[in-house]
Amino acid sequence: MVSPPETEADPVLDYIERFSSVLITAGFPPMPARVFVALQVTDSGQLSAAKLAQTLRISPAAVSGAVRYLIQLGMAHKLRVPGSRRDYYRVPADVWHDLLRMRTAVMDRWAVLLREGQLLLPPGSAGRARLDEQASFIDFVNKEIPAVIARWEEYRAGSG
């Protein structure tokens, strides 16, 4: 029996797979996770759909769905390079910063819903106390995030 030829390990592709598996474990869809990490590690900061498909060894249709998902979340942008007919994709420079801000907006909505539910339950009930505790936690975290972002911006400005 003939064994399939061994392919040389690609440490960057291995890294993409390891990083994306952490994103997947956190609930991120697999293909968008892989595309996101591939865009992060490229020297040029941008890749065409064809280059993404080649790099990740996936179909162009998988790339299309993945970049559409990332664009909707603000985790990738589509751009045209002058003189080229191809679309290129890149990750915004402050993607983590922007994601944290978006998460804060979502958490604000959660706090509002927790407070609404709290009002539906009888005073002194365990459910009401639980919803109050959770809403208070979200309120606390959301008040701290702007200060964390400001400290990050100061840190980045001082070390850049």
Side-chain angles (χ1 to χ4, degrees), residues 17-141:
E17 295 303 330
R18 286 185 297 117
F19 190 161
S20 64
S21 71
V22 172
L23 295 172
I24 293 164
T25 300
F28 216 80
M31 284 303 151
R34 294 177 74 211
V35 168
F36 177 74
V37 178
L39 290 171
Q40 293 277 47
V41 301
T42 182
D43 281 342
S44 68
Q46 63 191 33
L47 292 172
S48 68
K51 186 64 177 171
L52 281 164
Q54 177 188 3
T55 299
L56 297 173
R57 302 173 188 156
I58 59 177
S59 72
V63 170
S64 177
V67 295
R68 190 175 330 113
Y69 180 87
L70 293 170
I71 289 168
Q72 287 174 346
L73 291 180
M75 296 178 71
H77 294 275
K78 181 166 62 169
L79 59 131
R80 288 273 172 132
V81 174
S84 173
R85 298 174 83 191
R86 291 184 179 201
D87 289 329
Y88 288 81
Y89 303 94
R90 68 173 177 80
V91 172
D94 287 336
V95 67
W96 298 109
H97 180 274
D98 294 343
L99 287 173
L100 187 56
R101 285 187 190 274
M102 284 189 295
R103 175 60 59 148
T104 302
V106 169
M107 287 176 34
D108 282 338
R109 290 194 302 261
W110 292 346
V112 166
L113 287 169
L114 288 164
R115 298 275 185 229
E116 283 180 25
Q118 184 183 4
L119 295 175
L120 297 174
L121 302 175
S125 70
R128 186 174 182 142
R130 194 170 27 257
L131 294 181
D132 180 54
E133 177 72 16
Q134 292 171 8
S136 294
F137 174 77
I138 290 172
D139 291 341
F140 173 80
V141 169

Side-chain angles (χ1 to χ4, degrees), residues 5-20:
E6 292 200 21
T7 58
E8 191 174 313
D10 180 346
V12 174
L13 185 57
D14 181 54
Y15 172 79
I16 291 169
E17 295 303 330
R18 286 185 297 117
F19 190 161
S20 64

